[in-house]
Amino acid sequence: MDTQSHSWPAEAETLLDDLVDLRRAIHREPELGLQNPKTLAKIKDALAGLPLEFREGPSTTGLVATLRGPANGRTVLLRGDMDALPLVEDTGLDFTSETTGAMHACGHDTHVAMLVGAAKLLCAARDRLPGTVQFMFQPGEEGHHGARFMLDDGLIDPLPDAAFALHIMPNAPHGVFAGRAGPLLASSDVLSITVRGAGGHASMPQDAIDPIPVACSIVTAIQTMVTRRVSVFDPAVVTIAKISAGTTNNIIPETAEMQGTIRTLSPHRRAAVAADLKRLAPAIAEAHGCTAEVEIVEGFPVTVCDSRAAAFGQAVVEATFGEAAWMTMDHPVMGAEDFAYVLEKVPGAMFWLGASEAGSDWRSCCGLHSNRMVLDEKVMARGAALHAALAERFLNEGFGI
């Protein structure tokens, strides 16, 4: 079926006011982590009366709403994440966060609204859907592995035939969709290094073993390791973002602690960097009479978009909105995303949606995770329309383009 045969964009525009209201209600009451009960209640209220089957699990407040068409064909999953970030909002919006220390600074409030819009569009078109659509409302994306918990709880068992997700980008061209085949986002692991020396008086360093210069040497050595041991064609980013040591100005401390992240684009590089760090830090510490303990906690895997799904997404965007609405990305983004867990099991793709203010200089807009991030809510109609177009065309044609 040609996606141009149905005017998803025009129908989505009629829902925009409702999507804005829902997005703002969620934005006012952001929730963190795996338990988002207020957000879940708003989603259920928005979906009330639609021909959907709900599934929930014990580990999270995640919800899978299933729409079954009249024919038992393919199944496609559409995902929107729900949780917020631990930030104090500084936007000055009329609907600013009313929850101290929490803010929707990654656009998940818009993701929920767009997915609700898609559910309404597709429910209205249910009679001509030759298969099943799953709407995955997922908490705990911000480092809490919500998608993995929902998979483990069996909420999308049996697995769908394809899966798609949208993520807004406030500092990208207004209304333009972007994507690529292969790695889209990096794996992200948490790195902690503790250097242990011997404390003493700051005036007599010779009688102590100062862990602070040793920690600094390790930080420098990590950067050298990345540039000299890591191929630019299979990259890694290792960032030490926090160093903690000491209590006052005249005491050499016993320990120095470092925290950071490791980001890679392949399982091979991920394992190799971890092994190098576990060898490098203790060896440098030992050379200075200290010890170093390295702990690496695995986070999200690499987000890999199936080549068929990426090409399919481009075709649907261009058929629905025109060729100018699509941009193929030259390279991945080194952030991380737990939709990766779904894409490890199901062929699919994630796409970006530019949400800068129409007519603005999008390069100057605040980016994701900024406590001053704002966006143009009008793009939510485009996001809902693309969700619907992706689902309808996949149910009719599979990845045929």
Side-chain angles (χ1 to χ4, degrees), residues 48-119:
L50 298 178
L52 297 167
E53 304 168 12
F54 289 172
R55 296 182 73 179
E56 300 176 61
S59 301
T60 76
T61 52
L63 172 72
V64 174
T66 300
L67 172 65
R68 302 187 188 279
N72 187 23
R74 300 180 182 91
T75 298
V76 61
L77 180 143
L78 306 173
R79 178 271 210 164
D81 35 5
M82 300 160 56
D83 57 323
L85 283 160
L87 287 173
V88 177
E89 183 165 353
D90 184 24
T91 61
L93 295 170
D94 293 340
F95 51 93
T96 193
S97 170
E98 297 172 359
T99 304
T100 302
M103 175 193 174
H104 272 289
C106 202
H108 296 184
D109 49 352
T110 66
H111 300 171
V112 169
M114 292 189 297
L115 194 56
V116 166

Side-chain angles (χ1 to χ4, degrees), residues 106-292:
C106 202
H108 296 184
D109 49 352
T110 66
H111 300 171
V112 169
M114 292 189 297
L115 194 56
V116 166
K120 291 182 176 181
L121 292 171
L122 289 165
C123 283
R126 177 181 177 274
D127 289 346
R128 65 169 187 276
L129 296 180
T132 299
V133 186
Q134 296 174 320
F135 304 94
M136 180 182 181
F137 295 93
Q138 180 222 306
E141 192 282 324
E142 296 293 350
H144 297 275
H145 307 272
R148 189 188 71 196
F149 281 109
M150 290 184 71
L151 284 163
D152 290 346
D153 285 346
L155 297 188
I156 53 174
D157 182 20
L159 293 171
D161 299 296
F164 298 98
L166 289 178
H167 201 303
I168 61 97
M169 182 67 79
N171 52 344
H174 175 89
V176 173
F177 296 94
R180 71 187 307 273
L184 178 74
L185 291 129
S187 63
S188 180
D189 301 325
V190 176
L191 170 65
S192 300
I193 303 174
T194 301
V195 179
R196 301 186 184 279
H201 199 289
S203 68
M204 294 176 281
Q206 71 278 7
D207 295 328
I209 303 176
D210 192 344
I212 293 178
V214 178
C216 295
S217 295
I218 291 172
V219 173
T220 302
I222 288 172
Q223 307 316 308
T224 302
M225 179 199 82
V226 170
T227 60
R228 308 270 50 104
R229 291 187 58 81
V230 175
S231 167
V232 296
F233 302 107
D234 187 11
V237 174
V238 182
T239 297
I240 299 299
K242 180 181 180 182
I243 301 178
S244 303
T247 57
T248 189
N249 65 330
N250 63 349
I251 299 175
I252 293 172
E254 291 278 332
T255 62
E257 299 179 353
M258 296 171 279
Q259 293 183 336
T261 59
I262 308 165
R263 300 173 188 272
T264 64
L265 294 175
S266 73
H268 166 77
R269 182 59 59 206
R270 189 183 195 184
V273 169
D276 285 345
L277 288 167
K278 289 177 180 178
R279 181 174 59 253
L280 178 145
I284 292 175
E286 183 180 7
H288 293 277
C290 293
T291 62

